[in-house]
Amino acid sequence: MQVTIHSELAGPLSLDTDSGFADEVTIRTPNGAVPVWLSIFESVSRKGELLGETGGLIDAFPELVDTARKLLVEDLGTGMQVAQFVEFHTDELDLPEVRKAYEAFRGQRATAEELVDILDPKAFVLSVGEGGGLVSWIDFTLSPDDSDQLLVVRFDSDRNPTSISWES
């Protein structure tokens, strides 16, 4: 089935819900293109109201990245998830740029915001949540060429962050 999603950020998207969607939609960022994984169409094609929300959620990507970064900065101050993720990339993978940023942060010569800034969005995933609304998550990476490890920030259907997880 052909569907059209209207998005100011990505433009009008005419897609076939019967085919795969990986990398068919991308959002341009200062650090490159971020694929939007639309793992929603089996449910969306049956629930037409969700189709209209999809474009708005894609358009909210920059705002969601900002919200996710704030949550990651907060975790550096109160939790361990982000610190352990960065330590892994520093110790296990010996990435000099990550090591330099992490040592500056630990030595209080860099802020948590500066450390989180080296995380890049790798993918944006839209899905239908348990309550039937659209949920999303952003996969962040430190070094996509050297590591498949991700920090994942999940959002509920109201676009509020719900969790941070470390995945691969």
Side-chain angles (χ1 to χ4, degrees):
M1 175 171 115
Q2 272 308 107
V3 297
T4 301
I5 297 170
H6 300 281
S7 164
E8 290 183 28
L9 193 60
L13 306 166
S14 293
L15 302 168
D16 181 359
T17 61
D18 296 328
S19 65
F21 288 95
D23 300 327
E24 282 205 31
V25 178
T26 57
I27 296 173
R28 301 277 174 226
T29 70
N31 296 332
V34 176
V36 179
W37 293 72
L38 302 169
S39 60
I40 59 177
F41 283 98
E42 187 173 307
S43 298
V44 168
S45 61
R46 285 183 299 214
K47 296 178 80 176
E49 71 274 7
L50 292 180
L51 190 57
E53 295 176 27
T54 304
L57 190 51
I58 291 171
D59 289 341
F61 178 74
E63 175 188 328
L64 294 175
V65 168
D66 288 345
T67 300
R69 287 190 188 284
K70 288 175 186 164
L71 185 66
L72 295 170
V73 165
E74 186 179 299
D75 183 78
L76 272 167
T78 60
M80 293 299 298
Q81 192 84 281
V82 177
Q84 290 174 347
F85 182 79
V86 175
E87 283 175 11
F88 170 82
H89 283 81
T90 300
D91 297 338
E92 298 295 322
L93 300 179
D94 195 28
L95 301 174
E97 197 168 298
V98 175
R99 179 179 299 282
K100 181 179 174 184
Y102 188 56
E103 287 173 357
F105 169 72
R106 288 188 50 163
Q108 297 183 346
R109 296 181 311 277
T111 64
E113 288 86 355
E114 289 171 311
L115 184 58
V116 167
D117 277 347
I118 67 173
L119 290 163
D120 283 326
K122 180 177 182 171
F124 183 42
V125 182
L126 283 62
S127 188
V128 177
E130 289 179 16
L134 288 180
V135 298
S136 60
W137 57 92
I138 302 171
D139 296 339
F140 287 90
T141 183
L142 277 168
S143 181
D145 296 333
D146 299 312
S147 174
D148 66 349
Q149 302 296 305
L150 303 169
L151 270 180
V152 179
V153 179
R154 296 183 186 282
F155 296 88
D156 64 17
S157 60
D158 293 322
R159 301 180 188 168
N160 296 312
T162 59
S163 66
I164 300 171
S165 59
W166 179 356
E167 303 175 14
S168 68

